[in-house]
Amino acid sequence: MKQYLEINPIVKEALENNKPVVALESTIISHGMPYPKNVEVALEVERLARENGVVPATIGIINGKLKVGLTEDEINLLGREGLKVPKVSRRDLAYVVSNKLNGATTVATTMLISALAGVKIFATGGIGGVHRNAEVTMDISADLEELGQTNVAVICAGAKSILDLKLTLEYLETKGVPVLGYKTKELPAFYTRKSGFNLDYKIETPNEFANILKTKWDLGLNGGVVIANPIPEEFAMDYDVITNAINEAIVEAEEKGIKGKDTTPFLLDKVKTITAGKSLEANIQLVFNNVKLAAEIAKELVRL
Ligand code: PSU
Ligand code: MN
């Protein structure tokens, strides 16, 4: 698979010299936020990573190459093209690569490509999960299967309640994926710090996370880890406001017959409109917060 991989020279130098690298995904750019805010945020996230002492590697597919460390021009391209860029999850990868297309990578494919390149820490907003009503639709994100098998830690703000959070936690348990809370024993629900669902482990320091990751992989326990980092209090949304917005968006998605890979981008956009852009602002802030924690963990991990 390595012949399809193209690692940016700065990222390559860092990896060869055991310097900390943090992977970032590109679906959040093309499908998760509107242009041009998406590009501004993607570039600011990279700047924040550097400021916090790590090398950022935004991952995406350009002309069929699995790129580890997109250039500014490439980030601009994926951001500008937005929904026209294929959203590439595991099942889409072979088609997009063999046809030498561009593609935005989801959590699943960003993990997969990170692992190929040797990047162990990946920061994003939220992971995909088991959708509400999945007992009928069977809509379960490939992100969860990837977490079950690929050795990368994903720092996120939990999962959005457009998903069934209880079933998402059950699925992760079945797959043997640790879900670790940062200074919390409750799964954060992306826009809010609380979800009502408990986690087993509350972790207090980046060093502790790094030790758990190293131990897991030393033990031969393949698979990812979810590091759940609640949105900072000052940026969190009101629980009732966001819950109502999400419920309204879900009803509209059902009425319009939105399904499959279009569901998450549709719901994100609707929620943004219903909340008059407040959800987008929260989304941006939580990503910044996750990159900072990811940088601390990546720096600890290279010391072990
Ligand atoms: N959650 C967000 N923004 C996003 C996504 C999730 O707040 O952009 C994207 C991620 O790339 C995630 C994907 O991996 O949606 C999950 O899509 P699906 O449910 O189709 O697997
Ligand atoms: Mn799906």
Side-chain angles (χ1 to χ4, degrees):
M1 198 150 172
K2 297 239 157 146
Q3 76 261 36
Y4 300 108
L5 201 60
E6 219 169 273
I7 306 181
N8 172 307
I10 297 170
V11 175
K12 197 167 183 162
E13 190 274 336
L15 289 169
E16 281 167 2
N17 294 291
N18 195 35
K19 291 181 188 164
V21 177
V22 169
L24 303 157
E25 62 153 311
S26 45
T27 293
I28 192 175
I29 306 173
S30 58
H31 292 64
M33 294 181 189
Y35 180 79
K37 197 85 193 172
N38 54 1
V39 172
E40 283 165 35
V41 171
L43 297 176
E44 175 61 15
V45 161
E46 289 205 337
R47 197 196 60 75
L48 259 180
R50 290 186 196 101
E51 185 181 288
N52 285 275
V54 301
V55 174
T58 302
I59 290 180
I61 303 164
I62 301 290
N63 298 326
K65 290 281 182 211
L66 312 178
K67 290 264 192 170
V68 181
L70 293 174
T71 64
E72 193 171 328
D73 282 349
E74 290 164 344
I75 287 175
N76 247 296
L77 173 73
L78 296 182
R80 211 172 42 234
E81 297 265 301
L83 298 180
K84 280 187 269 171
V85 177
K87 170 179 161 186
V88 181
S89 200
R90 180 179 259 264
R91 59 117 191 239
D92 311 293
L93 199 53
Y95 179 89
V96 169
V97 168
S98 76
N99 283 292
K100 303 197 169 25
L101 302 177
N102 297 337
T105 52
T106 63
V107 168
T109 36
T110 304
M111 287 181 73
L112 204 156
I113 297 167
S114 297
L116 277 178
V119 181
K120 303 249 170 253
I121 305 292
F122 161 27
T124 187
I127 55 168
V130 180
H131 279 263
R132 293 196 207 170
N133 207 30
E135 58 277 28
V136 176
T137 63
M138 288 185 73
D139 189 350
I140 299 172
S141 174
D143 293 355
L144 300 184
E145 288 291 317
E146 204 63 46
L147 280 160
Q149 66 184 93
T150 299
N151 297 359
V152 172
V154 182
I155 292 82
C156 64
K160 274 172 300 300
S161 49
I162 60 173
L163 303 170
D164 187 321
L165 298 183
K166 185 165 186 286
L167 294 188
T168 300
L169 285 176
E170 291 294 347
Y171 202 98
L172 289 168
E173 181 188 356
T174 302
K175 291 287 164 183
V177 179
V179 182
L180 309 173
Y182 184 46
K183 298 185 197 277
T184 183
K185 256 204 135 180
E186 186 171 347
L187 177 72
F190 199 81
Y191 301 114
T192 57
R193 295 173 62 85
K194 299 199 167 301
S195 65
F197 299 108
N198 287 332
L199 299 176
D200 290 322
Y201 310 108
K202 173 179 173 178
I203 309 298
E204 297 290 349
T205 64
N207 174 264
E208 226 182 305
F209 281 119
N211 274 308
I212 294 169
L213 296 178
K214 179 169 190 316
T215 305
K216 182 181 194 289
W217 295 323
D218 280 353
L219 284 167
L221 295 169
N222 285 329
V225 173
V226 175
I227 293 180
N229 185 28
I231 183 170
E233 190 72 63
E234 63 268 40
F235 304 117
M237 296 190 68
D238 179 80
Y239 183 85
D240 292 325
V241 168
I242 194 66
T243 303
N244 290 335
I246 286 172
N247 289 337
E248 200 182 320
I250 287 175
V251 169
E252 193 170 333
E254 275 165 15
E255 282 169 4
K256 293 206 160 122
I258 308 286
K259 40 183 177 11
K261 68 196 291 190
D262 298 331
T263 303
T264 302
F266 178 88
L267 293 175
L268 285 177
D269 184 59
K270 273 292 151 223
V271 169
K272 187 199 91 193
T273 308
I274 297 166
T275 62
K278 287 209 184 74
S279 65
L280 177 60
E281 194 44 43
N283 194 343
I284 292 168
Q285 293 298 335
L286 66 84
V287 174
F288 292 164
N289 190 48
N290 293 341
V291 170
K292 289 187 226 162
L293 177 59
E296 296 313 310
I297 297 170
K299 285 187 280 184
E300 291 291 341
L301 192 61
V302 295
R303 289 191 199 116
L304 296 179

